[in-house]
Amino acid sequence: MAIVSGINIPDNKRVEVALRSVYGIGPTQAVDVIQKAGIEENPRVRDLTEEQLTRIREIIDRDKTVEGDLRREV
C-alpha cells in the first residue's frame, strides 16, 4: 500500500491517475511530480520502488499544496 500525503493511493492505477486521489493534485500537477521524480514511464503504483515513492512524497511535501495545507482564507 502506498501512502502519499496521508492518503492511500490506489495500487492498481497508473501513478499519474493515482496521485489525483490526493486533494490538491490534478492532472497537470501529477505529471509534474512524475517528471520531477525522474520516473521515465508511467507505471502502476504497485510497480514503484520504495525509492521512487520516497521521491514522490518529498516532491509533493516540498512543492505542492495539498490536503491539510489547503486553508480557506476568511
Side-chain angles (χ1 to χ4, degrees):
M1 176 180 337
I3 299 174
V4 175
S5 293
I7 304 296
N8 295 334
I9 60 174
D11 287 337
N12 60 338
K13 293 190 177 188
R14 292 186 343 251
V15 177
E16 175 193 345
V17 175
L19 286 176
R20 297 182 204 173
S21 311
V22 178
Y23 188 73
I25 301 289
T28 305
Q29 290 190 11
V31 170
D32 182 51
V33 169
I34 292 168
Q35 290 173 346
K36 285 182 179 179
I39 299 172
E40 300 277 330
E41 302 170 4
N42 192 2
R44 303 226 178 248
V45 173
R46 67 175 171 254
D47 297 330
L48 292 174
T49 65
E50 191 59 40
E51 180 184 331
Q52 290 172 319
L53 275 171
T54 300
R55 281 187 297 199
I56 289 171
R57 289 181 189 117
E58 288 172 351
I59 290 165
I60 290 175
D61 289 343
R62 182 185 65 228
D63 299 340
K64 305 297 179 190
T65 301
V66 297
E67 202 73 17
D69 295 337
L70 299 173
R71 292 185 179 87
R72 220 169 109 185
E73 291 184 30
V74 181

